[in-house]
Amino acid sequence: MPTSPNITLYEKLGGQPVVAQIVDDFYKRVLADDIVNDFFAHTDMEKQRRHQTAFVSHALGGPNQYSGRSMEKAHAGLDLQAEHFEAIANHLAESLAEYGLTQEEINSVLERISTLKEAILHK
């Protein structure tokens, strides 16, 4: 069933409570992935989950509640490469699929997120 133009993916999924569940699923995948899990070794994961929930909510067309550091500052010194960005994007796509988004809807979210590549990679 295609999403009505008047209904955001955020609303379709059920808003903040479901986005928080998606983010939990996402981090289970991320933390099990040796390609990217080292980047989170010294991270306050509760704080990270809150920031990511706000970020994903906005990417799904929900309210912009993110109040953390800029993407450049948040990723400074990590020297993230394209393979890391791709791994994170794939985990997000898998989590979104798990919660019923179509491939077209997932691609839409990934397109929004890909606009941040320059702000995140090689910092």
Side-chain angles (χ1 to χ4, degrees):
M1 174 175 91
T3 303
S4 163
N6 300 335
I7 297 176
T8 66
L9 294 176
Y10 177 82
E11 293 166 325
K12 175 186 176 184
L13 286 166
Q16 195 75 13
V18 178
V19 174
Q21 291 174 11
I22 291 169
V23 169
D24 285 344
D25 181 81
F26 164 74
Y27 276 117
K28 284 178 189 165
R29 296 168 192 273
V30 167
L31 295 175
D33 183 349
D34 290 339
I35 293 173
V36 292
N37 62 8
D38 282 350
F39 293 108
F40 298 92
H42 303 289
T43 300
D44 175 344
M45 289 308 294
E46 274 311 304
K47 182 178 177 182
Q48 183 67 23
R49 279 182 173 83
R50 284 193 305 273
H51 284 301
Q52 192 71 6
T53 299
F55 175 75
V56 172
S57 293
H58 184 62
L60 292 167
N64 186 359
Q65 306 164 344
Y66 182 77
S67 61
R69 297 177 292 167
S70 71
M71 287 294 146
E72 290 89 347
K73 286 183 181 177
H75 297 92
L78 296 177
D79 194 28
L80 294 170
Q81 303 298 311
E83 73 175 317
H84 303 126
F85 190 93
E86 185 176 316
I88 293 293
N90 286 339
H91 292 310
L92 180 58
E94 291 165 358
S95 295
L96 292 170
E98 189 76 23
Y99 280 80
L101 290 191
T102 67
Q103 190 59 52
E104 183 180 344
E105 291 166 335
I106 292 167
N107 290 344
S108 170
V109 173
L110 294 179
E111 283 175 29
R112 282 183 170 188
I113 291 170
S114 72
T115 64
L116 299 170
K117 266 187 180 180
E118 281 189 38
I120 294 172
L121 296 183
H122 314 290
K123 302 294 176 214

